Amino acid sequence: MKKYLGILARVLLLALTLTGCDRPASTASAPDPGPEAFSVTLTDDAGQTLTLEEVPERLLSLAPSNTEILFALGLGERVIGVTDFCDFPEEAQEKDKVGGFADPNIEKILSLEPDLIVAVSGLQDPVVERLRDEGFNVFVVNPTTVDELPGVIRRIGRAADVNDAADELVGGLEDRIAAVREKVAEATGAPSVFYEVYSEPLMTAGRTTLINDVISVAGGTSLGSELDEAYPQFSLETLIDQDPDVYFASTGSMSDPKDIAERDGWEALSVSGNDRIHVIDENIINRSGPRLIDALEQFAALIHPDLFE
Amino acid sequence: MSKSVFIPALGLALLGALVLAGAVGAVRVAPSEIISASTAWLFGAESLSASQFIWLKVRLPRIILSAIVGASLAISGTALQGLFRNPMAEPYIIGVSSGGALGATLVLMFGEGLMFLSLSLPVFAFLGALAATGLVYGLSRVDGRVSTTTLLLAGIAVSSFVSALISLLMALNGEDLYSVFFWLMGSFSARNWGHVQMILPFFVIGSATIFFYYRELNVMLLGDDKAAHLGVDLEKARPVLLGATALLAGAAVSVSGLIGFVGLIVPHIVRLIIGPDHKTLIPAAALGGALFMVVTDIIARTVLSPTEIPIGIVTALFGAPFFIYLLRTRRRTIG
């Protein structure tokens, strides 16, 4: 059992690219860089201070979400390595692979000689420590709410010396988040939402997860929002009893999400009769990259269809 | 305690546990709702209220399923212990359940094109369990005898190898990776009447076969020489019994994933109380297994409600210390 639990934990993290670690306050404090002299000091989400005296040219991403951020910042050309799971944008797949998410190949990473490694916290902590010991510049990101995402992107942009691109990208994302908030504020209530992580056993996303925050910003109340565990098994009895207004499943949920309404037991849910079961692309909701805001907009429109017509 | 008291007492305890299991859950269902739901079920219902539905379509099948799985695992463990003439034989410990899990994993990963998933899952789990049982049996039987050391070593070897195969399959199929892991944890979460239908024929055939061979199981305790004197041909009985234990363990795995230690704890306690005669041991173990599983599932689904604890964790919390206790206290008698 212990073995399975260990692997389960790894697998969860692998699949969801989310971590529930302590999140230190992140501050960016870059002195105004002159046109020639580049020097930036940043604090990452692991609480570590990173000082870069030269513009990092060779960038390595250790998570699909980070890869998406780097490419969205227009840094695709400078990315020299990604993980096996980095499949977006398509160009990312042509980069050198450093292995899996939980267990990237240290030798491969060394051979690529990256100037800056963008990692995530939690599962990758041991890898990060190892890479720091080797003297690499490692920047750890771990947004746990929608509102932390712009700050993360801005700091990555600052580290890579693409402040303008970061401002533009972040500005756009912030506007879209604000627009969702504004629309949702018109709603009279927060419909109850169930998010299915997995069906047998039935699992949902708990209070500490980014998914839970996305649902909340999108104007819904997740049934998982009262649970402390990140990905708890959820009682089907409670699901039927609470009868959520909207039901989400990701494409990664094991049983074919299109058949959810026809599952034994699920026919008692109101959502089974009124087309309010929705399947979300797991890669946009599980990755804390720019596309998370796509997920936010989709959630908001599906939770409050009347407001987003 | 005498057999004539113990078995009815177990039956009553199981009944009590079933009633308790029906009464408690994440959602409170009033007794009147339960009665009306039951009559609705018996006499054909109009429309069910939410709590009637929860009781009838969610809680009840889950309770029944956990009872059947518990009985299957306990009978399977009882028969394995007789077959191996060794008290440490248990489907989970010696890799039979892992074999079943391998079969089921293959179906879950590649079985999308298969026509009858509800049938192919237990069938493949059975084949996997059968292969693992045969392998462990062949490896651990030396001169007609199975010592605890060889049994546990063979079990470890087979179950590690099979687990490695499962892990390899998952590594090669990154997409489906985590789904199978959740499933392997062992759970009765969100199970329904379909699962009960799926396991029932396997349970009936497997347990009836094993009970039918209770004399042979008794004679096996004496050894092959004495069996020959008594005119019992054990070489015919063995493959049938191996098949039946694999059938039960495989069917259990296919509906509930890997649940360990039930087949170890229950037959042991029952044997301590009423002795080794399989005629009474098998039905008593069946009742005891059902009782243990229903009770552990009550714990799994109510303690942290509405969060559920994977039941494999609950049974391992009870089972692993018990296993260690057995190893220590019985060391002299099972070498």
Side-chain angles (χ1 to χ4, degrees):
Chain A
M1 262 311 132
K2 193 185 160 203
K3 179 177 64 183
Y4 285 119
L5 278 180
I7 300 169
L8 170 77
R10 295 173 49 183
V11 164
L12 262 179
L13 280 157
L14 175 150
L16 299 166
T17 324
L18 288 173
T19 47
C21 285
D22 290 340
R23 168 169 44 83
S26 314
T27 49
S29 56
D32 192 23
E36 295 300 318
F38 172 87
S39 174
V40 60
T41 301
L42 299 161
T43 307
D44 72 8
D45 285 350
Q48 298 284 328
T49 307
L50 176 69
T51 303
L52 296 166
E53 301 290 351
E54 282 171 52
V55 177
E57 288 300 329
R58 299 174 65 79
L59 308 174
L60 180 76
S61 161
L62 287 184
S65 52
N66 296 345
T67 303
E68 295 190 17
I69 291 173
L70 291 173
F71 275 82
L73 286 170
L75 294 165
E77 298 272 306
R78 283 158 66 184
V79 173
I80 47 117
V82 297
T83 71
D84 293 345
F85 300 98
C86 297
D87 55 3
F88 187 89
E90 233 164 77
E91 303 92 277
Q93 297 179 27
E94 288 151 25
K95 300 290 181 181
D96 271 338
K97 301 283 194 295
V98 297
F101 178 79
D103 49 359
N105 188 316
I106 301 278
E107 290 186 15
K108 180 73 185 174
I109 294 174
L110 292 176
S111 75
L112 289 173
E113 298 179 347
D115 300 328
L116 178 65
I117 298 169
V118 190
V120 295
S121 69
L123 191 59
Q124 288 188 344
D125 288 347
V127 177
V128 167
E129 197 176 327
R130 174 78 203 280
L131 291 169
R132 284 211 170 102
D133 287 347
E134 299 285 349
F136 285 107
N137 295 315
V138 186
F139 190 75
V140 175
V141 300
N142 180 33
T144 55
T145 65
V146 171
D147 288 326
E148 282 175 20
L149 182 63
V152 164
I153 296 175
R154 191 163 265 141
R155 277 178 293 143
I156 292 177
R158 186 166 296 181
D161 196 26
V162 286
N163 284 313
D164 291 347
D167 284 344
E168 195 186 329
L169 178 62
V170 167
L173 296 177
E174 282 174 339
D175 287 350
R176 289 166 62 197
I177 297 170
V180 166
R181 278 221 165 84
E182 204 174 308
K183 280 256 188 183
V184 164
E186 298 166 23
T188 44
S192 62
V193 173
F194 184 76
Y195 184 89
E196 174 185 304
V197 170
Y198 187 65
S199 61
E200 273 186 28
L202 184 64
M203 296 171 78
T204 191
R207 181 175 58 78
T208 58
T209 60
L210 192 50
I211 291 168
N212 187 65
D213 193 61
V214 169
I215 292 169
S216 161
V217 175
T221 307
S222 169
L223 298 193
S225 63
E226 283 165 22
L227 305 176
D228 290 334
E229 202 185 329
Y231 298 100
Q233 283 192 21
F234 197 81
S235 157
L236 177 57
E237 293 189 5
T238 307
L239 175 64
I240 293 170
D241 186 52
Q242 309 235 320
D243 199 18
D245 299 319
V246 194
Y247 194 108
F248 291 115
S250 75
T251 44
S253 184
M254 178 184 167
S255 50
D256 190 349
K258 293 183 208 87
D259 301 335
I260 289 170
E262 287 163 22
R263 271 190 220 147
D264 253 339
W266 269 253
E267 74 260 35
L269 297 176
S270 306
V271 290
S272 297
N274 63 12
D275 290 333
R276 298 208 68 183
I277 297 179
H278 305 289
V279 179
I280 304 290
D281 179 355
E282 61 176 327
N283 289 338
I284 69 171
I285 182 64
N286 289 337
R287 295 179 183 179
S288 52
R291 291 196 294 166
L292 187 73
I293 308 309
D294 297 359
L296 175 67
E297 288 169 344
Q298 287 184 24
F299 272 57
L302 293 167
I303 293 170
H304 294 287
D306 45 325
L307 299 177
F308 285 83
E309 273 163 348
Chain B
M1 200 188 289
S2 83
K3 297 165 191 176
S4 56
V5 178
F6 184 63
I7 293 183
L10 262 184
L12 278 177
L14 176 59
L15 201 64
L18 290 172
V19 170
L20 178 67
V24 300
V27 175
R28 201 187 122 69
V29 183
S32 61
E33 292 272 9
I34 295 178
I35 292 165
S36 60
S38 306
T39 48
W41 181 45
L42 286 172
F43 303 108
E46 331 73 82
S47 60
L48 296 168
S49 74
S51 51
Q52 284 177 330
F53 183 94
I54 287 172
W55 195 79
L56 208 55
K57 299 282 181 73
V58 179
R59 196 177 297 172
L60 191 59
R62 177 174 179 152
I63 298 167
I64 305 284
L65 189 70
S66 63
I68 296 176
V69 167
S72 298
L73 292 173
I75 296 174
S76 177
T78 307
L80 278 176
Q81 285 150 23
L83 266 169
F84 284 90
R85 292 175 63 199
N86 193 302
M88 290 298 162
E90 201 271 326
Y92 183 76
I93 294 170
I94 67 170
V96 176
S97 295
S98 305
L102 176 61
T105 304
L106 285 169
V107 173
L108 288 177
M109 282 185 168
F110 306 110
E112 277 187 26
L114 286 176
M115 280 295 286
F116 305 101
L117 188 67
S118 64
L119 194 64
S120 56
L121 198 59
V123 166
F124 273 81
F126 160 64
L127 293 176
L130 188 63
T133 317
L135 203 56
V136 172
Y137 188 74
L139 284 171
S140 59
R141 197 158 173 257
V142 182
D143 298 331
R145 220 174 143 268
V146 178
S147 81
T148 298
T149 317
T150 49
L151 172 67
L152 293 183
L153 287 177
I156 289 167
V158 169
S159 109
S160 312
F161 180 68
V162 170
S163 300
L165 282 180
I166 295 175
S167 300
L168 180 66
L169 279 174
M170 290 184 206
L172 295 175
N173 289 268
E175 291 280 307
D176 300 322
L177 187 99
Y178 62 115
S179 59
V180 174
F181 264 117
F182 294 143
W183 180 79
L184 284 179
M185 296 247 297
S187 172
F188 292 107
S189 161
R191 302 305 196 268
N192 55 53
W193 287 113
H195 294 91
V196 176
Q197 278 174 14
M198 188 158 105
I199 189 177
L200 202 57
F202 293 85
F203 169 69
V204 170
I205 295 169
S207 51
T209 306
I210 289 173
F211 186 70
F212 187 73
Y213 278 86
Y214 77 86
R215 280 185 201 84
E216 283 79 358
L217 281 166
N218 282 341
V219 172
M220 277 176 198
L221 294 176
L222 304 171
D224 279 32
D225 300 348
K226 295 226 174 70
H229 287 303
L230 294 168
V232 179
D233 187 358
L234 293 185
E235 290 311 315
K236 268 187 195 155
R238 277 201 186 93
V240 178
L241 281 165
L242 281 173
T245 55
L247 197 65
L248 288 175
V253 166
S254 66
V255 294
S256 57
L258 287 178
I259 298 176
F261 298 105
V262 182
L264 181 76
I265 303 180
V266 173
H268 266 94
I269 296 177
V270 171
R271 203 179 283 114
L272 282 175
I273 296 171
I274 60 166
D277 179 1
H278 284 84
K279 188 179 179 183
T280 47
L281 185 57
I282 293 167
L287 290 172
L291 173 65
F292 178 76
M293 200 55 106
V294 170
V295 171
T296 45
D297 191 47
I298 292 175
I299 295 171
R301 63 193 169 86
T302 57
V303 169
L304 292 180
S305 158
T307 301
E308 296 187 354
I309 310 168
I311 194 165
I313 293 175
V314 183
T315 62
L317 281 176
F318 286 111
F322 187 76
F323 183 72
I324 294 164
Y325 163 80
L326 278 181
L327 270 177
R328 286 199 60 81
T329 55
R330 300 210 147 188
R331 210 158 21 184
R332 283 175 303 277
T333 54
I334 60 177

